[in-house]
């Protein structure tokens, strides 16, 4: 196989095998690892996460993943977060009043979805901006979500960018979904991309997300 080399970060919280198999079907050469040298050398790094924000952050810190992620992004090396792997890219998460610091790659707090029934489990339509590369050709498609928490705010607005600044500086590009309220379904920001939904569980649309990301490597 001659596709890009992708490491799925094996930090103890995530559907690593299903993500790995989906990436292999999309054409990647995949390994499961938390080894710093292997992570640094890969064409792409995937950061999966399931469960609670605080537990995932503890697991990432135990694996020294924040340093690995920061080094890759500082060098413009692609990283893709999935589910809680998206959430931890924000400044913090508030779960039942417990606020936990995230990786602070994007401004914003992850909070409970304001919905009568949680978790949000199932298929929801995602609205994609025209400039998207990660979700190119997928506006209005449905993706599979399993979560009770999300970021409800636009990180570009939190950065205080006006229209001219957005044009010049390429702020985080957000795709949105709705469950109780509009929430961040995906973010693209130079080398860092992430999805709240699970591409590996989202059928042909999810496979297209992985293919699009591999083309960006």
């Amino acid at each position: 196989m001659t596709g890009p080399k992708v490491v799925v970060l094996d930090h103890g919280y995530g559907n690593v095998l299903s993500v790995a198999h989906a990436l292999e079907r999309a054409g990647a050469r995949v390994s499961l690892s938390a080894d710093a040298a292997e992570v640094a050398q890969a064409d792409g790094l995937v950061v999966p996460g399931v469960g609670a924000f605080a537990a995932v952050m503890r697991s990432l810190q135990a694996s020294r993943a924040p340093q690995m992620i920061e080094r890759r992004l500082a060098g413009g090396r692609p990283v893709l977060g999935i589910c809680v792997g998206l959430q931890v890219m924000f400044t913090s998460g508030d779960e039942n009043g417990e606020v936990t610091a995230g990786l602070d790659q994007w401004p914003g707090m992850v909070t409970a979805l304001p919905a009568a029934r949680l978790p949000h489990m199932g298929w929801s339509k995602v609205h994609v901006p025209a400039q998207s590369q990660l979700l190119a050709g997928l506006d209005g498609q449905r993706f599979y979500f399993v979560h009770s928490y999300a970021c409800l705010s636009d990180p570009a607005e939190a950065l205080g960018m006006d229209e001219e600044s957005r044009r010049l500086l390429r702020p985080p590009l957000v795709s949105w979904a709705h469950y109780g309220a509009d929430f961040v379904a995906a973010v693209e920001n130079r080398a860092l991309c992430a999805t709240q939904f699970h591409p590996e569980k989202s059928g042909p649309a999810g496979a297209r997300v992985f293919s699009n990301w591999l083309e960006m490597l």
Side-chain angles (χ1 to χ4, degrees), residues 84-98:
V84 185
L86 171 143
Q87 294 178 8
V88 296
M89 299 301 172
F90 286 96
T91 304
S92 59
D94 182 353
E95 296 184 342
N96 299 316
E98 178 186 1

Side-chain angles (χ1 to χ4, degrees), residues 2 8 27 31 44 61 80-81 87 126 134 151 155 158 165 173 188 209:
T2 59
V8 177
S31 63
Q61 289 161 348
L80 175 67
Q87 294 178 8
V126 173
L134 183 67
C151 183
S165 297
L173 184 67
E188 300 164 62
V209 172

Side-chain angles (χ1 to χ4, degrees), residues 56-152:
V56 170
M57 278 302 303
R58 285 193 296 270
S59 179
L60 290 172
Q61 289 161 348
S63 303
R64 298 188 62 80
Q67 294 90 332
M68 290 186 256
I69 293 167
E70 184 61 41
R71 286 194 198 102
R72 285 191 62 87
L73 295 176
R77 308 294 304 284
V79 175
L80 175 67
I82 296 176
C83 194
V84 185
L86 171 143
Q87 294 178 8
V88 296
M89 299 301 172
F90 286 96
T91 304
S92 59
D94 182 353
E95 296 184 342
N96 299 316
E98 178 186 1
V99 177
T100 302
L103 299 178
D104 201 22
Q105 295 295 330
W106 301 313
M109 177 176 281
V110 173
T111 58
L113 286 164
R117 179 179 296 177
L118 293 174
H120 171 212
M121 183 181 297
W123 298 80
S124 289
K125 186 180 293 186
V126 173
H127 301 283
V128 180
Q131 310 96 306
S132 175
Q133 292 180 273
L134 183 67
L135 276 67
L138 294 169
D139 184 36
Q141 292 294 314
R142 294 183 180 274
F143 294 88
Y144 189 79
F145 293 84
V146 183
H147 63 125
S148 297
Y149 296 84
C151 183
L152 308 182

